[in-house]
Amino acid sequence: ILQQQQQYRFSTERILSLTYQPLARFRVRPVTRCTDTMEGHTEAILHLSYSPDGKHLVSGGGDFTVRFWDIRTSTAKHVGKQQHKHHVLCTAWCPDAQRFASSDKSGVVILWDPNSTNT
């Protein structure tokens, strides 16, 4: 190593100054108030999924129900009751928003038509 140090004339004792400038600044503002409340589930909400167009929301809860919400009015459009026998743990939209799937704790998957309460 000593030969390489002498050959390339670098010092292990030299201090290099580096200048750092952030490329972007993110300002995160905390949420200080609730903007809306959607009443309906009688137990905890365990999973939420927005539709691909962002106009609808689906929630699955500990009350064994799947609720299809209208974001503009904050009301439940459809409630899928008595389909799941356990807590609804997972919800997902098809990319074209024509079908919706929910799954419960026992692994049962149900396909829904989001425009009606039909499965």
Side-chain angles (χ1 to χ4, degrees), residues 38-103:
M38 298 173 149
E39 308 248 346
H41 282 283
T42 58
E43 293 290 331
I45 295 172
L46 302 174
H47 204 271
L48 295 170
S49 294
Y50 279 96
S51 62
D53 62 5
K55 294 181 181 176
H56 302 285
L57 177 70
V58 176
S59 59
D63 56 0
F64 310 163
T65 63
V66 174
R67 294 179 184 268
F68 293 82
W69 301 91
D70 185 347
I71 298 297
R72 290 170 294 169
T73 62
S74 300
T75 57
K77 287 178 58 178
H78 308 294
V79 179
K81 293 182 179 179
Q82 300 176 352
Q83 299 290 332
H84 285 289
K85 305 295 183 213
H86 295 279
H87 303 317
V88 179
L89 299 178
C90 187
T91 59
W93 288 89
C94 288
D96 64 0
Q98 297 301 311
R99 290 277 178 229
F100 180 82
S102 61
S103 178

Side-chain angles (χ1 to χ4, degrees), residues 25-41:
R25 259 198 290 197
F26 297 100
R27 294 183 183 170
V28 179
R29 295 190 304 186
V31 176
T32 57
R33 63 185 171 87
C34 179
T35 59
D36 208 347
T37 301
M38 298 173 149
E39 308 248 346
H41 282 283

